[in-house]
């Protein structure tokens, strides 16, 4: 809001005005969040007509067109797609405009997922800037800044995209003038916060162009153009004019630019250069028409990113861990809310909930989750007050969606409206002992799941029953959080996109919940542990035996019971001590990680408590700075699950769940959990790009900063392995991860920093984060073959844990829902095979026509439908989780009958296959095909045909997007 007030609204207002004054002038715009705020709250009717006019002329161009320019390192693919879809839907509905080029100039490093997504969205070319400084210098020297990128090994040529890396000057105009000590080219100066200056005079306004300096200015510009021309293969040079927070006073900007452009073109023979205003599409069109043959880049990404020897941008992989965690919980809740609402609309047409209001509730969370994907959002590289805004918007959206889901439950079950209702999602409810508590548990995944949900209760004496009154396996034990409450773990088995209702009753004669018993072990002094012989004790379920050493209270080894393979396995917390004083050397901040030495172990003593029961054993370890310390800063809660007969417990048994408690840290400390094994990994690490695909990360030695430059983002998955065994880590938020030794993997869990770099101080970017963070990581240990079959589904099961809603109904008996009769059509679950993921099932609400000619005509004629959202169109995305050749069975293509898949929602009448964000009919989408040695002839890409009978074949790594229309009941 401050940015809108200080400059962003003025960018659009003044740029539109200036573009109308000169036919030669052009402008590109990226982020729709700012543009939509301007369009809805500032723009006049005249300005709106002018925007339509300029877009038709191609002089105003939207590039990327998402809500934001998303970060590439720590975002999840689902959220990248969401924010792109959100922006594209607005542009297409409002203008019939579909972006076809990217301008990803500011994210800190480039992921290989992005080129694939942009190709799937119909883009013809991709543009990036921030890659390693030494790599960029090398590519620049060898004219290799442009290439055809095959971001996905499985989709390869089908979804490849031409990629342009900006040269060393990046996306800002170089401002040095050899003939003046004032800056050049930035005539509108710099924006001031929070208010624009009353007199219109901004700080740092560049030297105006005059008759006296016009020739000198032109010489400076031409020299820079020629310098850059030497780094590219064609005679066209992309010269970005602008930078952060520019063009808020566009008249002074364009009037000076016009003088320079005209002068150079009048003397083009002398300068050897002509200059024209251009959009990104014009630049790429010019390069494309040269018909050159381009080199292919494989699926390797450009992470991590360093700007100079001691500036590795690997700190932001962990910065503001709480925000990263909430952003993912919000994304997961939105995913659940969308499919829940879509099913409600189609299964319960007689329902009493106002659909328009419900859509607004969902939209509030779509916006919040979209905006936090910004490269200064989920990255943790914003000031505290901006972080608070992201948090508030996420919490508000989550509150709305929880409210919507609770009201749908009540509407479906015709529950008494005066019953006390409170809904909570993955937070603990508290049951009053005199009231029956019930929990409604929704499974947002399109698979059958068996897992535990946790409810906080006030006594140990509890029984849990399902809808039919049968007893449900449960375990209750004293809470980690507070000694006066108890954690009740309920074993739930729920089919795809379905919910079940459980009632929790205080004791009525027979105890059904198993009470976990506690053994506390003596706190152990680690400094003296080496003097005694080991005293080992095992914790066992049907998949693993975990052995602890009573002398240290630390983990000792894990045995995979299927293969009888034992892996030595120890975990410790360490801290990197970092410098905050710029006079003393490189600093760590929100962005950068600059350790000045190896990490230091944090604890000299460990306390241990084991809670054991028949469904779960929880090992609680507390790490103290010494034997007499009162308080701990670090704790690990490790949970091992046992599943009773009659339940499918394969995934549950196979995961070792760890929850960490870290903080508050001391200043200038970066906290890591290091896991050391005897696996001979050759220090090779694997981490994921955005939860979509894996990257190989061999350890690299550098002259400087080797520790920090070997940190990588783990968005969802990381693993190490030897020839036979793999240790997999699955995360519910992003972390920095590294392998600093053979057989080791370390995860950065938290950072607390302060520094005196002037830029950081003036932007309040010192990361003095005194919070306690509670991340969760699931460990899977096993053969490569076994972990291969488990990790994709397990990662999604962690991402999309069931949504738990609480309600208390006072009175005699809670009125149970009409029994879930499995034979009634309304309760048919939606299920896909384990190698597919139902990535989206939602009602977007866009009113645009899916026929492009019709959509453009209705906008041109001013006939766009205003008013209510369109509830008839359902957006469906299906993603294949495996790469080609990754698994003998799971890597096969899958045939899906969409009619049969969705029959629980109603009768499918029509299906249209669309581009990733929905704005193109895939049958009319023809992307540019750039010439490569692999394909010497230029051609257009055609998309796969969808068969008439609603059967589609999904190939490895494909993401297929459909509009589905049901028969109206």
């Amino acid at each position: 809001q401050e940015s809108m007030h200080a400059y962003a609204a003025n960018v659009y207002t003044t740029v539109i005005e200036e573009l109308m004054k000169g036919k030669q002038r052009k402008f590109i715009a990226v982020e729709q969040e700012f543009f939509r705020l301007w369009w809805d709250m500032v723009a006049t009717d005249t300005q709106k007509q002018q925007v339509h006019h300029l877009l038709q002329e191609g002089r105003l161009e939207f590039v990327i067109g998402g809500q934001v320019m998303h970060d590439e390192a720590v975002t999840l693919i689902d959220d990248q797609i969401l924010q792109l879809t959100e922006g594209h839907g607005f542009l297409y509905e409002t203008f019939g405009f579909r972006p076809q080029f990217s301008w990803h100039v500011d994210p800190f490093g480039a992921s290989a997922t992005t080129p694939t997504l942009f190709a799937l969205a119909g883009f013809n070319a991709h543009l990036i800037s921030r890659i390693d400084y030494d790599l960029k210098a090398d590519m620049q020297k060898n004219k290799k800044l442009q290439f055809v990128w095959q971001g996905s090994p499985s989709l390869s040529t089908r979804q490849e995209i031409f990629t342009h890396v900006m040269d060393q000057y990046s996306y800002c105009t170089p401002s040095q003038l050899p003939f003046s000590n004032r800056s050049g080219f930035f005539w509108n100066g710099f924006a001031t916060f929070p208010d624009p200056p009353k007199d219109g005079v901004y700080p740092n306004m560049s030297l105006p162009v005059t008759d006296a300096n016009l020739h000198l200015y032109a010489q400076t510009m031409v020299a820079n153009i020629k310098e850059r021309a030497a780094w590219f293969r064609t005679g066209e040079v992309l010269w970005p004019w602008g930078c952060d927070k520019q063009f808020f006073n566009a008249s002074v900007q364009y009037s000076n630019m016009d003088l320079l452009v005209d002068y150079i073109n009048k003397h083009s023979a002398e300068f050897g250069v002509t200059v024209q205003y251009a959009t990104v599409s014009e630049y790429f069109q010019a390069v494309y028409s040269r018909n050159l043959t381009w080199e292919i880049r494989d699926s390797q990404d450009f992470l991590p990113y360093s700007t100079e020897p001691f500036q590795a941008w690997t700190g932001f992989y962990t910065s503001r861990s709480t925000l990263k965690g909430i952003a993912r919980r919000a994304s997961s809740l939105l995913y659940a809310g969308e499919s829940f609402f879509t099913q409600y609309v189609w299964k319960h047409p007689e329902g009493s909930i106002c659909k328009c209001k419900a859509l607004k509730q969902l939209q509030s969370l779509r916006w919040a989750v979209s905006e936090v994907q910004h490269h200064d959002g989920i990255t943790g590289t914003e000031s505290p007050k901006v972080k608070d805004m992201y948090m508030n918007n996420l919490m508000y959206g989550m509150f709305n969606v929880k409210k919507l889901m609770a009201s749908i439950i009540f509407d479906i079950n015709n529950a008494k409206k005066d019953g006390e209702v409170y809904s909570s999602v993955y937070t603990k409810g508290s049951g009053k002992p005199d009231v029956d508590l019930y929990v409604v548990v929704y499974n947002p995944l399109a698979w059958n799941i068996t897992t535990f949900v946790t409810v906080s209760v006030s006594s140990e004496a509890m029984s849990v029953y399902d809808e039919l009154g049968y007893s449900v396996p449960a375990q209750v034990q004293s809470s980690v959080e507070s000694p006066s409450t108890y954690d009740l773990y309920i074993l739930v088995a729920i089919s795809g996109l379905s919910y079940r209702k459980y009632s929790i009753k205080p004791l009525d004669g027979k105890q059904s919940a198993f009470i976990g018993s506690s053994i506390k072990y003596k706190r152990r002094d680690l400094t003296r542990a080496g003097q005694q012989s080991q005293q080992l004790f095992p914790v066992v379920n049907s998949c693993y035996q975990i052995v602890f050493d009573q002398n240290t209270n630390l983990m000792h080894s894990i045995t995979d019971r299927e293969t009888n393979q034992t892996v030595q396995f120890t975990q410790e917390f360490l801290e990197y001590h970092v410098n905050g004083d710029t006079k003393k050397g490189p600093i760590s901040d929100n962005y950068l990680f600059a350790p000045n030495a190896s990490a230091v172990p944090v604890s000299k003593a460990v306390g241990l408590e084991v809670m054991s029961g028949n469904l779960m054993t929880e090992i609680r370890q507390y790490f103290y700075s010494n034997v007499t310390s009162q308080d701990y800063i670090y704790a690990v809660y490790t949970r091992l699950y046992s599943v009773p007969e009659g339940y499918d417990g394969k995934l549950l048994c196979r995961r070792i769940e760890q929850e960490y408690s870290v903080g508050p840290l001391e200043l200038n400390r970066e906290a890591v959990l290091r896991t050391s094994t005897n696996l001979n990994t050759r220090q090779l690490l694997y981490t994921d790009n955005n939860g979509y695909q894996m990257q190989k990360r061999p350890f690299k030695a550098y002259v400087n900063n080797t520790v920090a430059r070997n940190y990588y983002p783990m968005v969802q998955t990381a693993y190490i392995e030897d020839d036979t065994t793999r240790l997999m880590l699955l995360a519910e938020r992003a972390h920095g991860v590294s392998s600093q030794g053979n057989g080791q993997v370390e995860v950065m869990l938290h950072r607390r920093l302060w520094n005196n770099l002037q830029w950081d101080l003036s932007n309040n970017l010192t990361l003095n984060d005194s919070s306690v963070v509670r991340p969760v990581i699931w460990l899977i240990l096993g053969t490569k073959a076994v972990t291969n079959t488990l990790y994709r589904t397990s990662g999604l099961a962690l991402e999309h844990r069931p949504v738990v809603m609480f309600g208390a109904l006072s009175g005699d008996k809670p009125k149970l829902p009409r029994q879930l009769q499995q034979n009634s059509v309304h309760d048919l679950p939606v299920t896909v095979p384990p190698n597919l993921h139902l990535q989206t099932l939602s009602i977007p609400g866009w009113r645009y026509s899916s026929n492009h000619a019709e959509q453009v005509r209705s906008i041109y004629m001013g006939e766009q439908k205003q008013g209510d959202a369109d509830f008839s169109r359902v957006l469906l995305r299906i993603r294949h989780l495996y790469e080609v050749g990754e698994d003998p069975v799971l890597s096969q293509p899958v045939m899906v009958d969409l009619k049969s898949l969705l029959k629980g929602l109603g009768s499918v009448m029509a299906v249209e296959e669309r581009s990733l964000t929905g704005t193109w009919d895939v049958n009319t989408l023809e992307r540019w095909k750039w010439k490569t040695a692999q394909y010497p002839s230029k051609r257009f890409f055609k998309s796969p045909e969808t068969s008439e009978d609603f059967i589609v074949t999904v190939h490895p790594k494909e993401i297929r997007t459909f509009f589905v229309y049901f028969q109206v009941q």
Side-chain angles (χ1 to χ4, degrees):
Q1 294 299 343
E2 279 185 10
S3 296
M4 279 301 287
H5 174 70
Y7 80 95
N10 291 339
V11 171
Y12 289 110
T13 302
T14 64
V15 164
I16 300 305
E17 186 183 340
E18 290 306 308
L19 291 178
M20 296 306 290
K21 287 181 185 167
K23 279 281 186 203
Q24 77 286 11
R25 295 172 171 181
K26 311 214 168 130
F27 193 78
I28 61 162
V30 175
E31 297 178 319
Q32 291 310 299
E33 178 148 328
F34 280 116
F35 180 76
R36 289 171 79 169
L37 288 169
W38 177 79
W39 183 260
D40 290 339
M41 287 148 58
V42 180
T44 62
D45 286 346
T46 305
Q47 286 166 334
K48 289 183 175 183
Q49 282 170 339
Q50 290 171 339
V51 170
H52 279 283
H53 172 74
L54 290 165
L55 281 168
Q56 275 160 14
E57 286 192 346
R59 296 201 293 117
L60 171 65
E61 179 171 86
F62 290 111
V63 283
I64 308 180
Q67 283 292 93
V68 296
M69 186 189 294
H70 67 254
D71 167 68
E72 299 196 37
V74 298
T75 47
L76 196 60
I77 183 173
D78 308 58
D79 302 329
Q80 298 177 347
I81 294 172
L82 170 77
Q83 73 87 22
L84 269 179
T85 304
E86 196 56 36
H88 286 188
F90 163 76
L91 285 174
Y92 195 52
E93 182 173 277
T94 314
F95 306 111
F97 183 86
R98 301 178 286 198
Q100 287 189 276
F101 300 92
S102 100
W103 183 260
H104 243 222
V105 295
D106 213 17
F108 322 133
S111 160
T113 309
T114 316
T116 304
L117 289 193
F118 286 166
L120 288 166
F123 286 17
N124 289 318
H126 176 36
L127 184 148
I128 60 177
S129 181
R130 291 182 181 267
I131 65 170
D132 259 339
Y133 70 100
D134 40 8
L135 178 61
K136 181 180 276 199
D138 189 58
M139 290 167 77
Q140 194 168 277
K141 193 174 77 202
N142 296 306
K143 294 194 181 189
K144 289 184 188 290
L145 290 169
Q146 294 170 317
F147 47 85
V148 170
W149 196 355
Q150 296 180 350
S152 159
S154 296
L155 301 175
S156 67
T157 50
R158 284 182 299 145
Q159 303 302 342
E160 68 189 17
I161 192 165
F162 181 79
T163 303
H164 172 104
V165 183
M166 290 190 139
D167 59 48
Q168 69 190 44
Y169 291 104
S170 192
Y171 63 91
C172 293
T173 323
S175 60
Q176 294 78 18
L177 295 177
F179 57 89
S180 167
N181 55 7
R182 283 181 69 179
S183 72
F185 304 102
F186 291 95
W187 297 283
N188 56 196
F190 290 110
T192 58
F193 280 72
D195 297 305
K198 296 270 183 290
D199 58 1
V201 177
Y202 285 84
N204 291 37
M205 291 171 86
S206 287
L207 182 70
V209 177
T210 60
D211 287 348
N213 65 23
L214 181 52
H215 185 74
L216 295 168
Y217 244 124
Q219 277 181 322
T220 306
M221 184 167 168
V222 167
N224 184 263
I225 291 169
K226 285 182 170 172
E227 181 188 8
R228 292 159 104 154
W231 300 329
F232 292 93
R233 291 179 58 201
T234 76
E236 294 78 28
V237 176
L238 177 80
W239 208 75
W241 210 324
C243 194
D244 297 1
K245 304 185 179 69
Q246 287 296 310
F247 283 92
F248 49 83
N249 182 355
S251 74
V252 61
Q253 203 55 26
Y254 276 109
S255 56
N256 281 281
M257 288 157 75
D258 282 351
L259 292 170
L260 261 175
V261 168
D262 292 346
Y263 182 81
I264 293 172
N265 289 339
K266 278 205 185 81
H267 301 88
S268 62
E270 173 194 341
F271 286 127
V273 165
T274 57
V275 181
Q276 68 169 78
Y277 288 110
T279 57
V280 179
S281 65
E282 286 176 286
Y283 170 71
F284 280 123
Q285 182 71 61
V287 176
Y288 182 61
S289 61
R290 293 279 185 157
N291 208 8
L292 298 180
T293 300
W294 299 97
E295 280 190 13
I296 290 174
R297 180 180 178 86
D298 65 10
S299 56
Q300 188 59 45
D301 64 7
F302 291 96
L303 288 164
Y305 162 62
S306 288
T307 37
E308 43 186 83
F310 285 102
Q311 291 188 347
W313 295 49
T314 55
F316 80 91
Y317 302 159
T318 305
S319 297
R320 300 206 190 285
S321 177
T322 303
L323 174 65
K324 286 175 163 65
I326 295 282
R328 287 273 281 274
R329 295 260 46 75
S331 157
S332 169
L333 177 63
L334 175 63
Y335 172 79
E338 296 277 15
S339 65
F340 203 59
F341 175 65
T342 303
Q343 291 187 88
Y344 172 75
V345 167
W346 286 103
K347 291 181 181 183
H348 302 277
E350 75 295 341
S352 66
I353 289 176
C354 166
K355 292 191 295 200
C356 289
K357 182 186 169 198
L359 195 59
K360 285 200 169 70
Q361 289 174 307
L362 285 166
Q363 278 167 340
S364 69
L365 191 52
R366 288 177 192 168
W367 268 64
V369 173
S370 292
E371 75 179 7
V372 80
Q373 307 311 316
H374 187 279
H375 57 274
D376 280 313
I378 194 167
T379 50
T381 55
E382 65 284 275
S383 69
K385 74 175 175 189
V386 178
K387 179 260 299 177
D388 292 341
M389 176 208 73
Y390 284 123
M391 289 287 253
N392 291 340
N393 291 353
L394 289 166
M395 299 307 255
Y396 172 71
M398 288 170 83
F399 173 75
N400 280 331
V401 171
K402 290 172 192 175
K403 215 161 62 173
L404 171 62
M405 292 181 78
S407 53
I408 287 174
I409 295 273
F410 268 73
D411 194 62
I412 293 173
N413 293 325
N414 302 328
K416 290 200 193 79
K417 291 285 188 279
D418 56 2
E420 180 198 340
V421 189
Y422 46 100
S423 90
S424 174
V425 177
Y426 237 78
T427 49
K428 319 280 187 319
S430 56
K432 304 178 196 63
D434 54 325
V435 176
D436 284 351
L437 179 74
Y438 69 83
V439 288
V440 175
V441 184
Y442 177 61
N443 167 23
L445 290 164
W447 304 312
N448 301 338
I449 59 157
T450 303
T451 189
F452 282 95
V453 296
T454 317
V455 179
S456 186
V457 291
S458 53
S459 97
E460 276 188 333
M462 286 286 155
S463 300
V464 183
Y465 301 99
D466 67 11
E467 304 90 345
L468 301 171
Y470 294 120
S471 176
V472 174
Q475 179 171 324
V476 63
Q477 59 198 38
S478 67
S479 169
V480 163
E481 301 281 317
S482 75
S484 57
T485 59
Y486 297 89
D487 290 333
L488 175 64
Y489 287 82
I490 304 169
L491 183 65
V492 298
I494 310 174
S495 44
L497 301 197
S498 305
Y499 72 88
R500 295 197 56 185
K501 192 162 172 176
Y502 300 91
S503 50
I504 300 168
K505 305 186 179 199
L507 260 200
D508 51 0
K510 55 185 198 307
Q511 171 78 18
S512 85
F514 190 91
I515 298 179
S517 59
S518 156
I519 304 172
K520 283 199 168 79
Y521 292 84
K522 204 170 131 224
R523 195 186 294 188
R524 294 296 182 179
D525 184 342
L526 296 179
T527 56
R528 303 178 42 207
Q531 299 153 23
Q532 300 135 336
S533 60
Q534 292 177 324
Q535 281 185 286
L536 305 178
F537 72 91
V539 175
V540 184
N541 73 357
S542 44
C543 295
Y544 299 113
Q545 169 174 288
I546 305 181
V547 174
F548 287 82
D549 182 354
Q550 256 171 272
N551 275 332
T552 58
N553 287 341
L554 294 175
M555 213 182 272
H556 169 271
S557 64
I558 301 178
T559 302
D560 174 358
R561 296 185 63 191
E562 196 180 336
T563 59
N564 229 2
Q565 175 100 7
T566 298
V567 175
Q568 284 166 20
F569 197 97
T570 55
Q571 290 185 310
E572 60 177 337
F573 287 107
L574 302 103
E575 287 175 345
Y576 287 100
H577 293 207
V578 295
N579 168 44
D581 185 352
T582 51
K583 294 189 192 69
K584 291 184 178 159
I587 56 147
S588 269
D589 64 7
N590 298 50
Y591 310 88
L592 308 176
F593 171 41
N596 49 20
S598 299
V600 182
V602 293
S603 65
K604 294 200 167 62
V606 181
L608 179 72
E609 181 181 5
V610 178
M611 302 293 303
S612 47
N614 58 354
L615 297 178
M616 180 191 75
T617 304
E618 181 175 69
I619 301 104
R620 302 173 179 176
Q621 292 165 290
Y622 303 96
F623 294 76
Y624 298 91
S625 52
N626 59 56
V627 176
T628 55
S629 307
Q630 286 302 298
D631 299 317
Y632 59 87
I633 293 178
Y634 294 90
V636 186
Y637 312 107
T638 303
R639 303 182 187 109
L640 201 58
Y641 297 101
S642 300
V643 186
E645 288 290 306
Y647 285 86
D648 171 19
K650 190 176 70 171
L651 286 183
L652 201 49
C653 169
R654 268 279 172 197
R655 71 177 177 238
I656 300 168
E657 178 171 294
Q658 291 199 315
E659 183 179 355
Y660 312 100
S661 175
V662 180
L665 299 177
E666 289 175 46
L667 264 183
N668 287 325
R669 298 285 187 270
E670 318 221 11
V672 302
L673 175 80
R674 182 177 290 166
T675 300
S676 303
T677 69
N678 61 343
L679 297 176
N680 180 20
T681 61
R682 301 176 186 82
Q683 234 173 315
L684 178 60
L685 173 70
Y686 294 81
T687 68
D688 65 328
N689 274 162
N690 317 105
Y692 178 65
Q693 62 191 27
M694 299 305 295
Q695 291 277 353
K696 205 172 181 166
R697 310 294 194 189
F699 190 85
K700 295 177 183 157
Y702 295 94
V703 178
N704 298 306
N705 220 13
T706 292
V707 170
R709 288 187 79 174
N710 279 283
Y711 255 80
Y712 295 93
M714 161 170 72
V715 177
Q716 205 170 45
T717 314
Y719 64 85
I720 55 172
E721 63 184 16
D722 64 10
D723 298 336
T724 58
T725 308
R726 181 182 288 169
L727 170 66
M728 205 103 211
L729 283 70
L730 301 170
E732 40 71 82
R733 69 187 72 178
H735 300 280
V737 61
S738 185
S739 178
Q740 297 284 339
N742 189 24
Q744 278 182 8
V745 58
E746 66 180 54
V747 180
M748 191 180 288
L749 297 174
H750 201 11
R751 323 176 68 215
R752 184 179 182 184
L753 309 168
W754 189 89
N755 71 74
N756 57 9
L757 183 68
Q758 197 44 56
W759 195 83
D760 282 343
L761 290 175
S762 50
N763 290 286
N764 200 357
L765 287 175
T766 53
L767 203 68
N768 188 355
D769 181 349
S770 58
S771 64
V772 175
V773 297
R774 300 291 296 266
V776 171
I777 288 180
W778 288 358
L779 306 173
I780 301 175
L781 182 73
T783 61
K784 292 181 189 181
V786 166
T787 53
N788 244 352
T789 60
L790 297 175
Y791 82 100
R792 303 272 185 195
T793 38
S794 295
L796 285 158
L798 174 56
E799 188 64 35
H800 298 296
R801 288 168 285 188
V803 177
V804 181
M805 288 165 281
F806 301 96
L809 287 186
S810 339
D812 313 332
K813 277 275 177 204
K815 191 169 151 196
L816 285 172
R818 294 176 296 229
Q819 301 308 350
L820 302 185
Q821 294 134 357
Q822 284 303 315
N823 56 1
S824 109
V825 69
H826 279 326
D827 296 311
L828 288 173
V830 178
T831 19
V832 295
N835 51 355
L836 295 188
H837 170 43
L838 188 77
Q839 186 161 322
T840 309
L841 181 66
S842 75
I843 294 178
W846 300 119
R847 295 183 296 262
Y848 58 71
S849 165
S850 34
N851 176 313
H852 184 62
E854 210 170 281
Q855 173 64 5
V856 172
R857 186 172 61 245
S858 73
I859 288 170
Y860 192 68
M861 306 296 286
E863 294 166 4
Q864 296 124 288
K865 296 196 286 290
Q866 291 306 315
D868 285 354
D870 176 3
F871 290 92
S872 66
R873 175 186 292 157
V874 171
L875 175 65
L876 170 74
R877 280 194 196 94
I878 296 175
R879 163 155 67 109
H880 197 301
L881 295 172
Y882 282 80
E883 298 283 0
V884 170
E886 188 179 356
D887 183 272
V889 178
L890 297 169
S891 291
Q892 297 302 318
V894 186
M895 281 176 75
V896 181
D897 181 337
L898 298 178
K899 210 174 168 95
S900 153
L901 174 70
L902 299 171
K903 65 176 181 281
L905 276 76
S907 174
V908 174
M909 298 305 291
V911 173
E912 300 165 351
E913 182 157 7
R914 307 292 292 184
S915 60
L916 182 70
T917 58
T919 53
W920 292 86
D921 171 347
V922 294
N923 300 307
T924 61
L925 173 60
E926 294 195 336
R927 292 195 310 116
W928 297 353
K929 177 76 182 85
W930 299 72
K931 262 181 24 177
T932 59
Q934 209 173 348
Y935 287 102
S937 67
K938 250 190 355 190
R939 60 195 169 86
F940 287 103
F941 277 114
K942 283 298 285 180
S943 298
E945 296 289 323
T946 318
S947 70
E948 285 303 292
D949 51 2
F950 306 116
I951 292 174
V952 292
T953 302
V954 188
H955 292 271
K957 290 323 267 189
E958 279 188 339
I959 302 172
R960 303 284 289 275
T961 303
F962 305 94
F963 288 163
V964 180
Y965 303 90
F966 293 94
Q967 185 172 354
V968 177
Q969 297 171 30

